[in-house]
Amino acid sequence: MEMHTDVLLVTANVGSLFDNVGDIEGDWLQEFFMTVHKHTPRFIALHFQEVGGKDYKRNMGHAKKFFLTIESRCEMADFDKVCVYVDSHFNDVDSFTALGSMYFIHKSLKNIQQYDFKVKEFKAISGLNKYVGSLEGVTTVEKEKFPKNFWPDFTWSRKGYMRTRWLIHNQGLDLVNVHLFHDASNLIACNSSPSVYSANRKKALRYVINRISDNSSSPLPFFLFGDFNFRLDTLSLVQNLSMSADIMTVKNGSSNEVEKIICEEKDNDHKVLLHIESKIFTYLHQAVFRENNGQELLKYDKEISEFHDVITEEEIHFPPSYPYSEDYAKPTQYMNTRCPAWCDRILMSHSTRDIIHRREEGKSGVVYNTLGSDICMGDHKPVFLFFTMKTFTH
């Protein structure tokens, strides 16, 4: 017999919460709890990236309190089974990913089990199961930092994936927390299409998909959700934005490397239309990134197209999720550091589409959106997917 279970998946790069301690966290939590209250899910998965922020050694204590706050708030009281995994062991540089995953199971959801990767079988869950540290030896999670030799020319950082496996009313499901590599320089990103950074992400994501699809544990439908750092095709976008502008490049006197790209309008008093440096991306008409939820820019969002053989996604109807201003008074403005992009995503295998319950035409029960669209949530707006999952009783 077919049953239905309401599910809420959330991905959030929370580095800003810890780098701006206390400023953003209260509203961030309020937005999350309001979303839980609105959709009343029976299963919640929260995937965090950059736990502890850039200064993770100093902030990790605060990060642990953040997880404790979510667990212990009255809004979560009806979730009587909780699993928490936080990779906080920053002294182990070869394995530290700064990933954190939280799973909440409502008291009304009885028939749920979690996979033990060591003994290769599903086991019942009860109470609070919390693992904070290196996660080594924890058999209900698989965690891996990307191999260092993948990118010998780039700074190696806290990037990797963390996977858990679930059985909800006899429907198996893999949930994978992912953090891929960012664009280190806007100028290098402009050099080619696709950029060298895009190629790095492609390699890393293919690696993750291969790892979770190998034969050591039979493949199941999966959700991959995290900060993929997908960027717009910067070269193509810049060419389009500057079509009617005068373009100047400023080079370093000694190395002859491009330090700046300046695009000036041909009329309109030669106003600077676009200014690009390694960590500066300033566009005069920034509103275009939010107009109509950025729909005009989706044609430059090409990185996922490399994976259409194995991955799909709900339609995007929200503006780019990054890089929002961290100024509390400017919650809908982007920072002039990077070209806005849909970095934070919830992707799924094609087989997962078959277990999402679709209501009659015009009554979609699926919601794919950002959290806190009009509130400062840090430089990344969290992204959530709410849906009803088809499950089965034998």
Side-chain angles (χ1 to χ4, degrees), residues 25-240:
E25 189 181 306
D27 282 347
W28 193 104
L29 289 166
Q30 197 57 37
E31 281 297 312
F32 168 66
F33 293 130
M34 279 169 55
T35 304
V36 171
H37 179 73
K38 179 180 178 180
H39 294 289
T40 61
R42 293 298 175 250
F43 180 86
I44 301 173
L46 272 164
H47 284 179
F48 297 113
Q49 306 82 40
E50 278 200 56
V51 172
K54 290 182 178 69
D55 194 359
Y56 47 83
K57 292 183 181 179
R58 195 183 68 172
N59 293 336
M60 199 53 82
H62 174 228
K64 290 174 184 176
K65 286 181 189 165
F66 171 73
F67 283 88
L68 188 61
T69 302
I70 297 175
E71 285 162 41
S72 54
R73 280 281 286 259
C74 60
E75 289 91 341
M76 307 304 282
D78 286 340
F79 294 86
D80 62 351
K81 297 174 280 293
V82 181
C83 299
V84 182
Y85 304 92
V86 185
D87 181 8
S88 64
H89 193 48
F90 51 77
N91 289 324
D92 189 351
V93 293
D94 287 340
S95 70
F96 177 52
T97 62
L99 294 172
S101 298
M102 302 183 87
Y103 304 97
F104 293 88
I105 296 118
H106 195 271
K107 63 187 179 186
S108 64
L109 180 52
K110 307 290 188 192
N111 188 1
I112 183 165
Q113 295 180 303
Q114 194 179 12
Y115 194 69
D116 185 312
F117 290 98
K118 187 176 181 184
V119 297
K120 292 186 167 42
E121 62 183 47
F122 286 99
K123 294 183 173 180
I125 310 161
S126 61
L128 173 64
N129 306 272
K130 189 171 182 177
Y131 307 97
V132 180
S134 72
L135 306 183
E136 197 176 324
V138 180
T139 58
T140 48
V141 68
E142 281 187 342
K143 185 204 81 173
E144 189 176 352
K145 187 170 184 169
F146 292 122
K148 195 183 285 191
N149 61 353
F150 263 29
W151 302 272
D153 301 333
F154 293 94
T155 305
W156 195 54
S157 55
R158 313 178 299 284
K159 304 293 192 290
Y161 74 92
M162 187 188 286
R163 168 203 195 187
T164 55
R165 174 168 274 200
W166 303 84
L167 192 65
I168 302 173
H169 286 301
N170 303 306
Q171 175 58 61
L173 193 64
D174 274 345
L175 301 177
V176 188
N177 187 350
V178 182
H179 195 185
L180 303 184
F181 293 81
H182 64 285
D183 282 14
S185 163
N186 295 322
L187 294 168
I188 292 174
C190 283
N191 279 348
S192 60
S193 172
S195 76
V196 63
Y197 305 119
S198 174
N200 289 346
R201 288 187 284 272
K202 178 182 173 184
K203 185 176 181 181
L205 184 51
R206 191 62 72 179
Y207 179 82
V208 174
I209 292 167
N210 288 343
R211 296 288 279 174
I212 65 172
S213 307
D214 68 16
N215 294 322
S216 61
S217 50
S218 52
L220 286 176
F222 63 77
F223 282 100
L224 291 168
F225 50 117
D227 178 4
F228 293 87
N229 263 312
F230 290 158
R231 304 302 166 102
L232 303 187
D233 181 351
T234 313
L235 177 59
S236 301
L237 176 64
V238 166
Q239 285 171 342
N240 185 278

Side-chain angles (χ1 to χ4, degrees), residues 276-294:
I276 303 171
E277 295 183 32
S278 178
K279 290 184 166 55
I280 293 174
F281 190 98
T282 307
Y283 182 53
L284 182 61
H285 310 297
Q286 199 204 72
V288 73
F289 293 109
R290 288 184 59 82
E291 269 166 21
N292 195 23
N293 290 324

Side-chain angles (χ1 to χ4, degrees), residues 342-368:
W342 287 274
C343 292
D344 308 275
R345 311 281 276 263
I346 299 177
L347 312 178
M348 66 190 88
S349 60
H350 291 288
S351 58
T352 306
R353 273 213 175 278
D354 299 334
I355 62 171
I356 294 178
H357 176 62
R358 308 271 169 186
R359 301 192 183 146
E360 309 86 59
E361 198 64 42
K363 287 188 180 175
S364 172
V366 179
V367 184
Y368 188 32

Side-chain angles (χ1 to χ4, degrees), residues 232 289-290 293-294 297 318-322 324 334 340-342 370 381:
L232 303 187
F289 293 109
R290 288 184 59 82
N293 290 324
L297 300 167
F318 52 87
S321 63
Y322 170 86
Y324 279 92
Y334 290 106
W342 287 274
T370 50
K381 295 278 188 202

